[in-house]
Amino acid sequence: MASFTSILSPHATTVDETGMPDCCADLYLDQVIRTVTTGHTDDGLENFFYAPLHDVSTVNYRHDVFRDLERDEVRRPIENFVAGMRTMRQRMHQSAHLWHPLQQHGWFVYAVEAYCSALKILRDDLAQATLTSDGLRDFVTHVCHYVDSDTFQMLVADTQNVQAELHQVRYAVHIQGLRVHVEKYDAQPDYSAQVAATFERFVTATAKDYRVRLPDFPDMNHVEEQVLECVARLYPQVFSLLKAFCTDNTNFVEPVIDRFDREIHFYLSYLAFMRLFAEAGLTFSYPQVTDEPGVVCANDAFDLALAIKSLREDKPVIRNDFRLSGAERIFVITGPNQGGKTTFARTIGQCAYLAALGCPVPATHAAFTLPDAIYTHFERQETLATLHGKLDDELVRIHDILSRATAASLIVMNESFASTTADDALQIGTEVLGRMSRLRCVAVYVTFLDELANLDPTCVSMVGEVAPEDPTRRTFKFTPRPADGLAYAAALAGKYGLTHDVLRRRITQ
């Protein structure tokens, strides 16, 4: 049998339930993941999105699976299989929550039937598909070997045998007053046709329908239970066979099949999420991921969390480019207030995180160094629990980040140290940027201090633009150029007639 173990990795690894990484809330990835995993709140799908990868080969492995699943001829058989497995689990859930053992046994057989059918159909459908990914090719090989195995063939034969025996069970129920008598059916006459013929002459076009729809409860009532028990006594061999089947096949789902059924939702849910944006003309791409340090670039990238909201409100989605080259390692983002600086920083962080998951990223083209960790340093509300002031808390957090970060890390900082004076913020920011520059890690630093933008050759100044014809209107577009906050102020002064020359003319008039 093929050595397939997981559709998420070529290695025999497991995803631990470690919880959401700290960076997700700051980058609004918690909102993104919540949207992606809608409808899967009970099966732990979000845990797969909480576990970034740390080797390039696994990222490429997932890219290949995604590419296969983008094709209808591959995705639809997988989706049909998932639907069949969902039916199986629903029937198993029904069986587990029924009170009467005989009714539990009946639903168990239905569950096994759904499982066997789903696998046989999957094997036949994917045998006609052209697969390019190692993951799906190995899985199909596993499915083919399993479906052809004696174990599975015996399960199918036993399921069909039990169902055939149950279909042979026929009985008659006689009701007289409060007395109910159950016996085997022995060609007793069926009076239903005669009764219908007798009353047919009383039927009129305007006859009132007195039938009442009875509620359909999962469990049987006490009369139905006793009737079933009587039937079981009439056919002891059949119901003994049913019980033995359920006992012998308690764990009928093959472990690798079970694991695939859980893991494949990682791909299917994210592809469905991507299709929401495709309808609006927004593009995702497979990023080039490398171990080479300092590789960060993307074209037409956008913030997914904001895009979700914008699509719901029918608003345009702003896209931006960013790139590091040579010795550059740090984006220093400046610009007017409410100009999209934090959103732009989140965009970079989101793209890097999704690239580390092996997912397509929201950009037309992208390339990233695979980070060993993503750290965020965003503003926090002051709390008495830490016994620190706001600035003290920020310093403690950035010290912890810098003590753990490596050259392969990504650090995203947003308006840090804004609670202190400009001089102190400049001094602290200079020290922090110097530490990050010496670490050679990739960083994003959002600041209101233009002086930090040109502090070091490793820094790339990204400036938020305003509309040339109206400097009060933000474009939310960022360009790599020297920080020029005074130019923005000069544009505002010009618009409102407050430039040096205008004021001087007014004063001298």
Side-chain angles (χ1 to χ4, degrees):
M1 186 172 291
S3 59
F4 176 84
T5 55
S6 170
I7 197 62
L8 293 179
S9 170
H11 317 295
T13 58
T14 58
V15 175
D16 298 325
E17 296 185 15
T18 56
M20 182 175 65
D22 293 338
C23 67
C24 286
D26 286 334
L27 298 177
Y28 284 4
L29 283 164
D30 54 342
Q31 300 177 23
V32 174
I33 294 171
R34 188 161 54 247
T35 302
V36 172
T37 59
T38 298
H40 296 274
T41 54
D42 297 330
D43 52 17
L45 177 60
E46 67 279 0
N47 290 314
F48 298 137
F49 291 93
Y50 294 160
L53 304 173
H54 299 293
D55 66 287
V56 174
S57 64
T58 304
V59 170
N60 293 330
Y61 179 89
R62 291 188 180 183
H63 284 179
D64 292 341
V65 174
F66 267 118
R67 288 188 176 97
D68 265 347
L69 290 172
E70 282 190 296
R71 293 185 289 122
D72 290 345
E73 64 173 293
V74 177
R75 187 183 65 258
R76 285 176 181 169
I78 297 291
E79 289 175 338
N80 291 337
F81 166 74
V82 167
M85 293 293 285
R86 186 183 305 115
T87 299
M88 179 272 290
R89 296 186 190 284
Q90 290 171 346
R91 292 177 180 180
M92 286 294 293
H93 182 271
Q94 181 82 305
S95 173
H97 289 80
L98 291 170
W99 179 83
H100 201 283
L102 293 178
Q103 196 179 13
Q104 290 178 352
H105 294 164
W107 278 101
F108 184 87
V109 175
Y110 292 148
V112 178
E113 177 190 36
Y115 171 75
C116 294
S117 176
L119 277 171
K120 288 191 292 185
I121 293 173
L122 177 67
R123 191 270 304 271
D124 294 342
D125 287 347
L126 287 185
Q128 309 301 320
T130 302
L131 301 173
T132 61
S133 66
D134 289 341
L136 285 175
R137 278 205 306 262
D138 290 345
F139 172 68
V140 171
T141 300
H142 180 91
V143 169
C144 290
H145 286 188
Y146 174 63
V147 170
D148 292 336
S149 69
D150 293 341
T151 300
F152 183 79
Q153 292 299 323
M154 184 177 297
L155 179 66
V156 172
D158 289 347
T159 304
Q160 293 174 344
N161 183 44
V162 170
Q163 290 180 317
E165 291 294 328
L166 289 172
H167 288 158
Q168 295 301 316
V169 172
R170 302 189 67 190
Y171 58 94
V173 178
H174 300 275
I175 302 175
Q176 185 174 5
L178 297 179
R179 182 179 177 83
V180 178
H181 177 71
V182 181
E183 64 181 11
K184 284 187 177 182
Y185 176 73
D186 190 20
Q188 293 95 330
D190 182 359
Y191 296 107
S192 58
Q194 297 179 30
V195 171
T198 300
F199 285 92
E200 188 176 4
R201 55 185 170 175
F202 300 108
V203 175
T204 64
T206 58
K208 183 177 179 180
D209 189 352
Y210 289 94
R211 291 176 296 181
V212 177
R213 181 179 294 276
L214 298 176
D216 185 16
F217 297 106
D219 283 295
M220 299 179 293
N221 60 41
H222 67 288
V223 176
E224 292 170 323
E225 289 175 0
Q226 293 181 65
V227 169
L228 179 56
E229 290 169 359
C230 290
V231 173
R233 287 195 292 271
L234 291 174
Y235 295 91
Q237 292 182 338
V238 174
F239 283 86
S240 177
L241 178 66
L242 173 63
K243 182 179 179 180
F245 175 85
C246 296
T247 302
D248 295 341
N249 296 288
T250 302
N251 300 312
F252 65 90
V253 180
E254 200 265 346
V256 173
I257 300 297
D258 181 56
R259 179 171 180 168
F260 176 86
D261 179 46
R262 288 183 292 107
E263 293 180 343
I264 196 63
H265 288 285
F266 171 82
Y267 299 96
L268 297 178
S269 62
Y270 195 80
L271 286 171
F273 175 71
M274 287 169 54
R275 287 195 290 273
L276 298 177
F277 299 92
E279 296 171 0
L282 297 171
T283 304
F284 284 68
S285 64
Y286 293 94
Q288 299 174 6
V289 178
T290 178
D291 289 325
E292 180 185 342
V295 177
V296 175
C297 74
N299 296 335
D300 298 318
F302 57 93
D303 178 343
L304 277 174
L306 182 59
I308 294 170
K309 181 179 179 182
S310 297
L311 291 182
R312 289 171 180 166
E313 298 174 356
D314 197 24
K315 294 181 178 178
V317 176
I318 304 299
R319 291 174 277 189
N320 276 288
D321 300 343
F322 53 86
R323 177 182 300 275
L324 295 178
S325 61
E328 297 170 345
R329 291 292 185 275
I330 304 171
F331 293 106
V332 180
I333 301 174
T334 59
N337 292 335
Q338 306 300 316
K341 297 189 297 294
T342 300
T343 298
F344 182 48
R346 285 193 175 111
T347 300
I348 299 173
Q350 287 176 12
C351 288
Y353 185 91
L354 292 172
L357 285 177
C359 292
V361 301
T364 56
H365 169 77
F368 288 92
T369 296
L370 185 62
D372 60 2
I374 298 177
Y375 301 102
T376 55
H377 189 273
F378 281 51
E379 185 180 15
R380 297 283 188 272
Q381 293 295 324
E382 192 170 352
T383 173
L384 295 176
T386 62
L387 300 180
H388 294 146
K390 193 169 185 179
L391 179 59
D392 285 345
D393 177 65
E394 287 187 311
L395 291 173
V396 168
R397 288 193 291 119
I398 192 59
H399 178 271
D400 178 59
I401 290 172
L402 292 174
S403 65
R404 290 186 289 147
T406 71
S409 301
L410 169 63
I411 303 174
V412 182
M413 301 183 65
N414 180 58
E415 298 283 10
S416 300
F417 320 119
S419 60
T420 188
T421 65
D423 287 342
D424 287 345
L426 178 60
Q427 182 179 354
I428 297 170
T430 300
E431 177 63 26
V432 170
L433 284 172
R435 287 282 301 275
M436 292 191 297
S437 179
R438 290 190 292 275
L439 276 173
R440 303 290 294 165
C441 66
V442 172
V444 181
Y445 196 103
V446 176
T447 181
F448 58 91
L449 299 169
D450 291 347
E451 296 91 333
L452 295 175
N454 303 309
L455 186 67
D456 190 277
T458 61
C459 296
V460 177
S461 174
M462 300 292 293
V463 181
E465 301 295 349
V466 294
E469 71 282 1
D470 182 3
T472 63
R473 183 169 64 84
R474 282 73 167 157
T475 65
F476 307 105
K477 300 286 287 185
F478 288 80
T479 56
R481 65 177 179 84
D484 195 6
L486 292 178
Y488 172 65
L492 283 176
K495 178 178 180 180
Y496 294 104
L498 298 174
T499 63
H500 179 271
D501 291 341
V502 172
L503 289 174
R504 187 166 183 170
R505 284 198 301 270
R506 288 180 179 178
I507 293 171
T508 57
Q509 285 178 353

